[in-house]
Amino acid sequence: MRQLLIFFTLAISFGANAQSVKLLQKEIDKTIWKPFQKAFENLDGEVLNATYTKEVLRVTPNGIDTKNTFKTANLERFKQNRKDAVSIALDFWFESRHTNETTSYEVGFYRIGATTKAGETSYNYGQFHIVLKKIDGVWKITQDWDTTIINGKTISAEDFEKQEPLKF
């Protein structure tokens, strides 16, 4: 009987924890990922940059950025996109998410579609690893790593199409 009671206690606490994690991830989706996606699609560098903490560790195949130069690049890139009448569509999905009350580590794949004024669309694909922290009650991206190559192989549409993109 005692073992049965322990089993039920563990099962209930695991279920409650899973519920809690799901609620935290929904909060992250609402406060980070939806604005992040909309910022790309609205070419709004200010909103995009607001999803990050003041100091961010950003890593790409081009190197490590600890001085937030990527934030200035976001503003300039979107300004140029508006000038050139280029529209952007950002789609992504999560391969894994590990979340507790204050931290979330999220891995997924993205597709960025850029459509020119002439109606021609090109796509870029990649994988991201993101660390989010809840700071003063607000989720923010603290580390952002992405790449277009895994194990020497360029990430393709085939890799991206393994799952459906998220809809917010």
Side-chain angles (χ1 to χ4, degrees), residues 41-122:
E41 294 177 347
N42 294 329
L43 303 174
D44 191 335
E46 294 289 338
V47 170
L48 180 64
N49 289 344
T51 63
Y52 291 92
T53 56
K54 187 175 181 177
E55 294 181 22
V56 179
L57 172 62
R58 173 90 169 110
V59 183
T60 69
N62 297 326
I64 297 174
D65 176 4
T66 57
K67 299 189 187 308
N68 290 323
T69 58
F70 79 97
K71 289 180 180 178
T72 301
N74 287 340
L75 298 172
E76 292 170 0
R77 181 178 65 248
F78 288 156
K79 181 179 178 181
Q80 189 64 48
N81 288 154
R82 284 190 303 276
K83 182 179 175 187
D84 296 341
V86 172
S87 63
I88 303 290
L90 171 66
D91 294 300
F92 58 93
W93 53 267
F94 298 112
E95 184 172 56
S96 67
R97 298 178 91 177
H98 301 279
T99 306
N100 65 27
E101 295 79 18
T102 61
T103 307
S104 191
Y105 180 77
E106 308 195 354
V107 178
F109 286 82
Y110 66 86
R111 172 182 62 200
I112 299 174
T115 303
T116 65
K117 193 165 142 177
E120 298 170 2
T121 303
S122 62

Side-chain angles (χ1 to χ4, degrees), residues 5-24 97-99 101:
L5 183 60
I6 290 171
F7 171 77
F8 282 125
T9 302
L10 289 173
I12 289 169
S13 90
F14 177 75
N17 187 45
Q19 285 281 65
S20 175
V21 167
K22 290 287 183 199
L23 288 173
L24 289 167
R97 298 178 91 177
H98 301 279
T99 306
E101 295 79 18

